Amino acid sequence: MAALAVVQAVLFGLGPAVDLPVVLTPATAVPVLLVALEAGPRVTAAFGAATVVLALVSGSIDGTFLEAQHVVRVTTVVGASVVALLAAAGRCRLEALVLENVRLMRDLAAAEAAQRDVAQSLQRSLRPPALPQIPGVALASFYRAVGDGADVGGDFYDAFPLTDGWLLVIGDVTGKGAAAASVTGMARGAIEAAALETGSAVGAIV
């Protein structure tokens, strides 16, 4: 920023001394436009105002205040300062919008991860921790949820002892989410209670 201020002062100081051509007058507005690329609206506005004052003072000192070339120079600087201010304000708004979008995306990703963890934990609670050891029978299970695992499914399986053997159950509840999980839990509990009470596979299911 300080370097740009020095460049601006040199441009206004050397312009009349070397008789800067009118076609090169826009070069005097370059520093304030460069400030808008990095600084905020307030700093850009302050730099632009200082640039305009410097242009007016330089014209008063070298006696070119009313000359056409000086009027063009001041007009150019004023216009560039306004453009720089608008550009700085727009850039800051865009940067703030980008940062807000990044924050929202991070929050959304964190919320989805938390929802997925809860769903997976709930899904695990609806399945037996381990299948029983049944003489003469080898049991194995594999469960894989469809999708990204963020929804709790209604699928379940279990094995319950009976008076004359075992009851192996594989079931599915319509729907997904908390409602399906609730029905799944009730269904497993009801089947287990019926199996323990009746000791019969038919009585447990019917």
Side-chain angles (χ1 to χ4, degrees), residues 7 20 30 46 66 85 133 142 170 189 192-193 197:
V7 171
L20 186 69
V30 171
L66 297 179
L85 177 60
Q133 298 294 328
F142 177 78
I170 299 176
E192 181 178 13
E197 181 178 354

Side-chain angles (χ1 to χ4, degrees), residues 115-174:
Q115 180 182 1
R116 190 178 301 108
D117 290 342
V118 171
Q120 292 175 354
S121 297
L122 182 56
Q123 190 74 68
R124 285 192 297 269
S125 70
L126 297 177
R127 302 195 301 269
L131 293 175
Q133 298 294 328
I134 302 177
V137 179
L139 296 180
S141 64
F142 177 78
Y143 181 88
R144 182 175 181 179
V146 178
D148 59 359
D151 290 328
V152 182
D155 308 301
F156 67 96
Y157 60 87
D158 213 331
F160 306 111
L162 302 173
T163 56
D164 56 352
W166 289 83
L167 172 63
L168 303 181
V169 179
I170 299 176
D172 186 13
V173 173
T174 302

Side-chain angles (χ1 to χ4, degrees), residues 53-151:
V53 172
L54 184 59
L56 295 173
V57 171
S58 65
S60 300
I61 293 176
D62 58 27
T64 61
F65 190 83
L66 297 179
E67 293 183 5
Q69 183 173 348
H70 182 261
V71 173
V72 172
R73 181 190 303 177
V74 173
T75 303
T76 301
V77 171
V78 171
S81 298
V82 174
V83 172
L85 177 60
L86 295 176
R91 178 181 56 79
C92 288
R93 285 195 296 269
L94 180 60
E95 291 177 352
L97 181 61
V98 171
L99 292 176
E100 178 65 14
N101 286 339
V102 170
R103 185 189 66 81
L104 290 176
M105 291 299 294
R106 289 177 178 174
D107 292 346
L108 179 60
E112 289 178 348
Q115 180 182 1
R116 190 178 301 108
D117 290 342
V118 171
Q120 292 175 354
S121 297
L122 182 56
Q123 190 74 68
R124 285 192 297 269
S125 70
L126 297 177
R127 302 195 301 269
L131 293 175
Q133 298 294 328
I134 302 177
V137 179
L139 296 180
S141 64
F142 177 78
Y143 181 88
R144 182 175 181 179
V146 178
D148 59 359
D151 290 328

